[in-house]
């Protein structure tokens, strides 16, 4: 599909094949059922206060744009993303903003490869992968909840993880297991929740 695709109505839409959108998916109202098909778009927005239902099943969702790339507002949104996988793939240096509603919306798997990404909300993500070479900015005073944080940089492509306000920490909460980070630059980041947090070949830049 060329251009933005807007879903706005009190009915429902079922996707019966893979959907490739050249621009933005805008979910304003109604029900979208992906039927576990692959979705590719520059942005995916569901941020009105109207009644919306989004069922992603086991879909793979590829987000390839910058700016407000993923934005889900909790108000009046029923989300089923417990088995889906979301890949943030924008390749250029422009900032990518991700809004996951709040910690009550649950996502299964999110993998981020974009060089510059900023979380603007709290989140609950079962498996969160930050790939080598990215700068990830988290909101100060907020918590990102995960069951598995995969955060492995390399010597040539370390990962920078920091709060958006100097001196005010952002929190990563994982209750079990081990977070085995490597080649990280960490600034104003707090790990909590009972998991073991390791950061080998890494630099603590404060707080």
């Amino acid at each position: 599909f060329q251009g933005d695709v807007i879903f706005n109505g009190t009915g429902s839409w079922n996707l019966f094949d893979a959907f490739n959108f050249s621009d933005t998916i805008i979910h304003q109202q109604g029900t979208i059922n992906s039927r576990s098909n692959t979705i590719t778009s520059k942005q995916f927005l569901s941020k009105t206060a109207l009644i919306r239902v989004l069922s992603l099943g086991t879909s793979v969702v590829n987000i390839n744009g910058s700016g407000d790339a993923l934005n889900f507002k909790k108000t009046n949104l029923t989300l089923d993303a417990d088995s889906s996988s979301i890949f943030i793939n924008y390749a250029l240096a422009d900032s990518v903003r991700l809004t996951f509603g709040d910690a009550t919306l649950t996502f299964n798997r999110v993998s981020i490869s974009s060089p510059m990404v900023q979380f603007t909300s709290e989140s609950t993500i079962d498996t969160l992968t930050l790939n080598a070479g990215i700068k990830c900015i988290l909101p100060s005073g907020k918590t990102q909840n995960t069951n598995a944080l995969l955060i492995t940089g390399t010597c040539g492509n370390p990962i920078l993880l920091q709060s958006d306000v100097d001196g005010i920490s952002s929190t990563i909460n994982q209750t079990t297991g081990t977070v085995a980070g490597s080649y990280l630059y960490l600034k104003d980041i707090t790990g909590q929740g009972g998991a073991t947090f390791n950061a080998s070949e890494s630099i603590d830049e404060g707080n």
Side-chain angles (χ1 to χ4, degrees), residues 13-14 16 22 26 28 59-60 79 90 92 100 112 114 118 134 142 150 156 172 177 192:
W13 295 267
N14 294 290
F16 285 93
S22 64
I26 302 172
Q28 293 185 338
S59 284
V60 172
L79 175 69
Y90 185 72
L92 301 180
F100 292 97
I112 301 171
S114 301
Q118 181 171 9
I134 77 169
K142 304 288 187 181
L150 308 179
I172 296 173
Q192 71 172 30

Side-chain angles (χ1 to χ4, degrees), residues 72-74 77 79 100-107 123-125:
F72 292 153
K73 182 177 181 179
K74 167 60 179 176
L77 172 62
L79 175 69
F100 292 97
D102 63 21
T104 65
L105 293 180
T106 301
F107 296 82
S123 67
T124 297
I125 299 169

Side-chain angles (χ1 to χ4, degrees), residues 134-150:
I134 77 169
K135 178 179 181 180
C136 182
I137 301 173
L138 301 178
S140 59
K142 304 288 187 181
T143 299
Q144 313 304 320
N145 301 285
T146 181
N147 289 321
L149 175 62
L150 308 179

Side-chain angles (χ1 to χ4, degrees), residues 11-198:
S12 61
W13 295 267
N14 294 290
L15 309 186
F16 285 93
D17 205 344
F19 266 59
N20 293 302
F21 301 94
S22 64
D23 284 299
T24 301
I25 299 171
I26 302 172
H27 182 200
Q28 293 185 338
Q29 188 179 17
T31 298
I32 300 174
N33 185 348
S34 73
R35 296 176 61 89
S36 297
N37 287 295
T38 298
I39 298 172
T40 302
S41 179
K42 284 185 178 179
Q43 291 94 16
F44 199 144
L45 310 179
S46 185
K47 57 180 184 176
T48 72
L50 300 173
I51 296 173
R52 292 152 293 134
V53 177
L54 177 59
S55 179
L56 292 175
T58 60
S59 284
V60 172
V61 180
N62 297 299
I63 304 297
N64 301 320
S66 61
D68 200 19
L70 190 75
N71 192 328
F72 292 153
K73 182 177 181 179
K74 167 60 179 176
T75 305
N76 290 325
L77 172 62
T78 300
L79 175 69
D80 175 11
D82 293 351
S83 301
S84 65
S85 297
I86 298 174
F87 294 89
I88 309 298
N89 298 318
Y90 185 72
L92 301 180
D94 300 343
S95 180
V96 173
R97 294 187 302 277
L98 306 176
T99 303
F100 292 97
D102 63 21
T104 65
L105 293 180
T106 301
F107 296 82
N108 177 42
R109 180 187 179 197
V110 176
S111 177
I112 301 171
S113 300
S114 301
M116 173 76 77
V117 65
Q118 181 171 9
F119 284 50
T120 65
S121 70
E122 295 190 320
S123 67
T124 297
I125 299 169
D126 184 78
T127 302
L128 174 61
T129 302
L130 304 180
N131 289 293
I134 77 169
K135 178 179 181 180
C136 182
I137 301 173
L138 301 178
S140 59
K142 304 288 187 181
T143 299
Q144 313 304 320
N145 301 285
T146 181
N147 289 321
L149 175 62
L150 308 179
I151 183 168
T152 303
T154 67
C155 182
N157 291 288
I159 295 171
L160 173 60
L161 186 63
Q162 69 178 62
S163 167
D164 62 356
V165 177
D166 285 346
I168 302 178
S169 291
S170 180
T171 299
I172 296 173
N173 180 66
Q174 183 171 317
T175 58
T176 61
T178 299
V179 178
S182 61
Y183 293 101
L184 311 177
Y185 288 81
L186 301 170
K187 183 174 175 58
D188 298 321
I189 298 296
T190 299
Q192 71 172 30
T196 300
F197 290 83
N198 296 326

